[in-house]
């Protein structure tokens, strides 16, 4: 059975940093790619970042470029999202999702190609 478990969310002041983790079990991140999505209250879910496991390519939505960094640790079967210079508009529930890399790349930044989802971790940016 596949599980994706997010962690690392919390309350942080504007300009601060958080590192989110997405720990996978039941599938190997050698063969599945991980994307991060977020959903703010009253807003549609949006793509944040994607790490392609087949070639190491990374993708970011424009609003987080230069501030967020996605990375993976295959030994730990975990993908990380380092979030720096956080802004109040980054406040959202953050979810990781998994799909084969070809599907993930083809459907990015959409979410309809993702096979598995975590339950989310809340990030709140406020002074």
């Amino acid at each position: 059975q596949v599980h994706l478990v997010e962690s690392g969310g919390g309350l942080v002041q504007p300009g601060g940093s958080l590192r989110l983790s997405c720990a996978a079990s039941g599938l190997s991140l050698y063969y599945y790619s991980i994307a991060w999505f977020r959903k703010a209250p009253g807003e549609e879910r949006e793509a944040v970042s994607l790490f392609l496991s087949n070639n190491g390519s990374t993708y970011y939505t424009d609003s987080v470029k230069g501030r967020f960094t996605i990375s993976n640790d295959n030994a730990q079967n975990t993908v990380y999202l380092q979030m720096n210079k956080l802004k109040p508009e980054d406040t959202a529930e953050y979810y990781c999702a998994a799909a084969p890399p070809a599907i993930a790349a083809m459907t990015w930044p959409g979410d309809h190609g993702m096979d598995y989802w975590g339950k989310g971790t809340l990030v709140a940016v406020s002074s």
Side-chain angles (χ1 to χ4, degrees):
Q1 193 170 5
V2 174
H3 291 286
L4 300 178
V5 180
E6 302 94 337
S7 61
L11 175 63
V12 64
Q13 292 188 339
S17 298
L18 285 173
R19 188 177 80 156
L20 304 185
S21 299
C22 174
S25 60
L27 60 78
S28 171
L29 295 187
Y30 283 105
Y31 306 114
Y32 276 82
S33 292
I34 294 291
W36 287 94
F37 295 83
R38 66 186 179 187
K39 187 180 185 310
E43 302 285 335
E44 298 273 325
R45 185 164 60 192
E46 68 166 343
V48 177
S49 185
L50 168 65
F51 183 94
L52 288 183
S53 54
N54 57 339
N55 61 16
S57 295
T58 57
Y59 299 83
Y60 301 93
T61 193
D62 285 346
S63 62
V64 308
K65 283 179 182 175
R67 300 189 298 122
F68 290 12
T69 303
I70 192 170
S71 62
N72 77 320
D73 183 338
N74 283 336
Q76 298 294 323
N77 220 34
T78 298
V79 169
Y80 302 99
L81 185 68
Q82 178 67 43
M83 306 188 298
N84 298 329
K85 300 179 182 178
L86 283 161
K87 303 176 181 180
E89 51 264 43
D90 295 317
T91 295
E93 190 83 16
Y94 282 71
Y95 301 88
C96 63
I103 303 298
M106 205 162 34
T107 59
W108 173 264
D111 60 9
H112 54 282
M114 310 311 288
D115 288 336
Y116 304 103
W117 290 83
K119 294 185 177 181
T121 185
L122 181 62
V123 172
V125 184
S126 175
S127 54

